[in-house]
Amino acid sequence: DAGITQSPRHKVTETGTPVTLRCHQTENHRYMYWYRQDPGHGLRLIHYSYGVKDTDKGEVSDGYSVSRSKTEDFLLTLESATSSQTSVYFCATTPQGPTNTEAFFGQGTRLTVV
Amino acid sequence: QKEVEQNSGPLSVPEGAIASLNCTYSDRGSQSFFWYRQYSGKSPELIMFIYSNGDKEDGRFTAQLNKASQYVSLLIRDSQPSDSATYLCAVNSGSGNTPLVFGKGTRLSVIA
C-alpha cells in the first residue's frame, strides 16, 4: 500500500470553528490532492499541489485553504466550518503529473460539523 | 466545466454474469481514463486504466474506450459477490497539471 496517512480519521466540530486536516505521504510523490466525497456528488476536487508551496484551486475551493511547506505534508484548513462542509475528505497523490498515472488515496477523514 | 457521467445504479447482476459499467465524458481532448473501485467506507483503488481506443483486458476485467463517441466502459466477467462496490470512472485531459475528474460512480451489486 502507498504510504498515505490522513489525520484525524474522524472529527466532530462546531460551526464557525477552524479545522485542519493533515495528509502525510512517504512516497515522495510530487502531486497531492484534496477531494471531498458526498452522496450524489462523487469525488470533487477542493485544492491540489504540484510542488512545495505550489497550489491551485479545484472545483469546490470556497471556504477551504491549503498549505504545503514540505513534500510529504499537505494540509487542508476549513477556515470557519459550516454544516455544508460535513463530508468525507480524501487525500490523494500522484508521482508526477496526473496524466497517465495512478492516483493513490489515503484512508479518508470523516468530518461532521454540528 | 469538464464532466464525467455515470449511471448511479444500483446495477444488480447475478453471480457469474457479466457486469457492464458505462461512462461518458465531455472533454474531447481527454487522453487517459481510469476505473477505480470503492468498497463502502473505504478509499478508491485503481482497477484499470486505458489510453488508446479499443479493449484492454486484465483478468476478469476489460476496459473499452471509444474516443470518437467519448465513451469508456468496464466489463466484469464472472461477477462475484466480492465485486459488489461503487465503481468510479475518472478522466484526465492530459494537459499540464489538470487533475483527474471523477464521475459520481455506479453502485454494483452482485447477487449470489
Side-chain angles (χ1 to χ4, degrees):
Chain A
D1 289 345
I4 302 169
T5 305
Q6 292 184 228
S7 59
R9 294 291 314 279
H10 302 272
K11 186 171 181 66
V12 180
T13 192
E14 293 186 349
T15 299
T17 60
V19 177
T20 295
L21 308 183
R22 181 183 185 229
C23 179
H24 178 78
Q25 55 125 342
T26 58
E27 304 298 316
N28 200 34
H29 287 176
R30 180 181 169 194
Y31 285 71
M32 299 184 75
Y33 313 83
W34 276 109
Y35 289 91
R36 62 178 287 176
Q37 189 172 39
D38 305 286
H41 289 279
L43 280 165
R44 292 182 292 173
L45 183 67
I46 305 171
H47 282 279
Y48 65 102
S49 169
Y50 45 95
V52 173
K53 299 193 189 310
D54 292 323
T55 65
D56 206 348
K57 295 179 180 181
E59 174 189 3
V60 289
S61 59
D62 287 349
Y64 301 95
S65 62
V66 291
S67 66
R68 190 160 177 212
S69 59
K70 44 187 179 177
T71 299
E72 55 266 36
D73 289 327
F74 193 31
L75 304 181
L76 176 70
T77 297
L78 288 66
E79 292 140 10
S80 177
T82 68
S83 58
S84 64
Q85 294 176 312
T86 293
S87 186
V88 178
Y89 292 84
F90 285 102
C91 173
T93 71
T94 55
Q96 294 296 322
T99 306
N100 299 347
T101 184
E102 177 180 359
F104 297 90
F105 285 83
Q107 322 96 301
T109 295
R110 183 173 294 276
L111 177 68
T112 303
V113 183
V114 298
Chain B
Q1 180 80 358
K2 297 169 184 171
E3 296 182 343
V4 177
E5 300 287 342
Q6 296 181 254
N7 286 326
S8 60
L11 173 65
S12 295
V13 299
E15 184 175 359
I18 296 175
S20 178
L21 305 164
N22 304 314
C23 171
T24 59
Y25 58 94
S26 64
D27 182 6
R28 188 167 286 279
S30 298
Q31 295 188 13
S32 49
F33 308 85
F34 303 83
W35 283 100
Y36 285 81
R37 178 177 62 200
Q38 186 176 24
Y39 291 114
S40 181
K42 302 296 185 183
S43 56
E45 56 182 344
L46 183 70
I47 299 176
M48 295 276 297
F49 60 87
I50 186 168
Y51 310 139
S52 303
N53 275 331
D55 295 359
K56 179 181 179 183
E57 187 173 321
D58 183 2
R60 295 186 296 113
F61 299 95
T62 299
Q64 300 175 316
L65 175 61
N66 184 326
K67 289 187 177 180
S69 300
Q70 296 176 235
Y71 176 92
V72 58
S73 64
L74 179 70
L75 301 178
I76 306 174
R77 290 182 300 281
D78 189 23
S79 295
Q80 301 297 309
S82 59
D83 294 325
S84 298
T86 295
Y87 290 80
L88 304 170
C89 174
V91 175
N92 179 263
S93 71
S95 60
N97 297 325
T98 309
L100 287 174
V101 177
F102 284 84
K104 296 178 182 179
T106 298
R107 187 155 58 91
L108 173 67
S109 178
V110 181
I111 311 300

